[in-house]
Amino acid sequence: MGELAKGTTQLTPVESLRACVLIEEALKRLVFLGKLIREQKTEKRSHLTAAMGDDVIRLIGEQQDLEKMHQLLVKDKEELHGLQDRETLRATERQLQEASAKLKEANRDLCRNLRQTPDIHANMLKLNHERQRAEDWLTETLHELKASNTFKCLTDNVAQEKHAQERLAEARRRNREMSQAVRLLECELRKEEAEFAESRRATSIEVAALKQELQRLKSKAGVKLAFTEAAMVAQLEGKQWQLVQEEKRLGKELEMLQKEADEEAFLQRANADFRNKLIRQANFSHTSR
């Protein structure tokens, strides 16, 4: 046994015999344990399933109902954004917050129930698997001891199992790190969602205010346009009246000028006739002499 402490796998015949006796006794107990597990597995499965299934099914149903309600409220909120009905929008937002809180509580209840209700059937399967593996290891070691007084296969299996446990521990560590990273990302996502919702709400309020301002400006512009149009029509009618009056005045002036021109022409013709007549009379008198 001193050599065993130094790390060798070679035993003396006496040590090998003692080890074989102990291993055979352990194998008998493992075989007996396997028979007990197989006999009780079917009976316990149905009993445990009935005991743990009702609460889980009820919680899952409640969670699904809350998810449907949450989706409907989100849809209603999307449709109400940008509308003038602020009271309905605020009421929908309150209902959405209440539904979200209930959904989170339902998720916590479901997780708590699942943690408090272990899968005993799966645990029994795992236990039976571990028992079978230990039985295989001991059987292989027993054969090796009887054949060569060594247990190298056992040390190899232990080393492999240790390496597997180390890899499992590393995988669990990475899983914890990834879970922590996921939780941080979820927190950031919830924060961004809250900021986005607040920004969207502020944008909706601003859009509604701009719509009201636009409507007011349209009304004001319409009134101003109507007043300006009426003023322009009145101004145009006034100018048209002035043009008509000016046209009448110019017509009268034209008639007077035409009359004066006609009188002037008549006087000129009369004067010319009179001069011609005097000239003819003078010529006639001179000829008579």
Side-chain angles (χ1 to χ4, degrees):
M1 297 298 291
E3 293 179 353
L4 181 61
K6 296 179 181 179
T8 181
T9 60
Q10 184 67 42
L11 299 178
T12 64
V14 176
E15 291 173 338
S16 178
L17 179 60
R18 291 176 181 175
C20 288
V21 172
L22 294 175
I23 291 174
E24 288 175 350
E25 183 64 24
L27 286 172
K28 290 179 182 179
R29 295 184 180 183
L30 288 174
V31 171
F32 177 72
L33 179 61
K35 290 180 179 180
L36 289 178
I37 292 175
R38 284 192 295 271
E39 290 175 358
Q40 297 179 2
K41 182 168 59 176
T42 304
E43 180 181 356
K44 287 186 177 181
R45 181 188 304 177
S46 59
H47 176 70
L48 291 172
T49 302
M52 64 182 289
D54 294 340
D55 289 339
V56 174
I57 292 174
R58 178 181 59 81
L59 290 173
I60 291 175
E62 292 178 356
Q63 185 181 20
Q64 290 176 348
D65 293 338
L66 288 172
E67 287 176 352
K68 291 179 181 178
M69 182 186 299
H70 187 271
Q71 292 175 357
L72 291 175
L73 289 172
V74 170
K75 184 178 180 181
D76 293 340
K77 183 180 177 182
E78 293 290 338
E79 293 176 353
L80 289 172
H81 269 300
L83 299 180
Q84 301 297 326
D85 194 353
R86 302 290 180 80
E87 293 296 330
T88 304
L89 178 59
R90 283 194 287 268
T92 303
E93 289 178 348
R94 287 195 297 270
Q95 293 177 1
L96 183 59
Q97 291 176 356
E98 293 175 359
S100 299
K102 290 180 180 179
L103 183 59
K104 291 180 181 178
E105 184 64 27
N107 288 332
R108 285 195 293 267
D109 291 341
L110 180 59
C111 294
R112 188 184 307 113
N113 190 279
L114 290 175
R115 285 195 299 268
Q116 293 175 355
T117 309
D119 191 352
I120 299 179
H121 175 63
N123 292 337
M124 291 179 65
L125 290 177
K126 182 179 179 181
L127 178 62
N128 189 45
H129 175 72
E130 295 295 334
R131 181 202 59 78
Q132 185 63 46
R133 186 169 62 164
E135 185 177 338
D136 294 340
W137 284 11
L138 291 177
T139 301
E140 186 178 3
T141 303
L142 180 62
H143 291 162
E144 186 178 2
L145 285 171
K146 290 180 178 180
S148 59
N149 295 328
T150 61
F151 55 96
K152 186 176 182 303
C153 62
L154 180 61
T155 57
D156 291 342
N157 288 331
V158 170
Q160 292 177 2
E161 181 65 19
K162 182 179 179 181
H163 183 61
Q165 291 295 328
E166 290 175 351
R167 287 186 298 175
L168 179 61
E170 179 66 18
R172 288 176 176 173
R173 184 187 64 80
R174 292 180 180 178
N175 187 39
R176 286 194 299 270
E177 293 177 353
M178 291 179 64
S179 299
Q180 181 66 21
V182 169
R183 284 193 293 271
L184 292 176
L185 289 175
E186 288 177 348
C187 291
E188 293 180 359
L189 179 60
R190 286 193 294 270
K191 182 179 178 181
E192 290 181 358
E193 287 178 348
E195 292 177 352
F196 176 75
E198 180 63 23
S199 175
R200 187 167 186 174
R201 187 181 67 84
T203 302
S204 299
I205 294 174
E206 185 178 358
V207 168
L210 290 175
K211 285 183 178 180
Q212 292 179 353
E213 181 66 15
L214 179 61
Q215 187 64 31
R216 186 184 66 81
L217 292 175
K218 283 183 178 180
S219 300
K220 183 178 179 181
V223 173
K224 186 176 181 180
L225 179 62
F227 177 78
T228 304
E229 184 178 359
M232 291 180 66
V233 169
Q235 185 179 4
L236 181 61
E237 290 178 351
K239 287 186 177 181
Q240 287 179 347
W241 183 83
Q242 290 177 357
L243 290 174
V244 170
Q245 297 301 319
E246 183 69 16
E247 184 179 1
K248 289 180 180 180
R249 186 183 65 79
L250 292 175
K252 290 180 179 180
E253 290 183 358
L254 181 60
E255 289 178 358
M256 292 177 64
L257 291 174
Q258 185 65 38
K259 185 177 180 180
E260 291 177 357
D262 292 341
E263 291 177 354
E264 182 69 22
F266 176 75
L267 291 175
Q268 288 180 358
R269 286 195 302 272
N271 190 18
D273 292 340
F274 181 73
R275 285 198 304 271
N276 291 331
K277 184 178 180 180
L278 290 177
I279 292 172
R280 284 195 300 270
Q281 288 178 357
N283 290 333
F284 180 74
S285 297
H286 181 72
T287 304
S288 298
R289 291 178 184 176

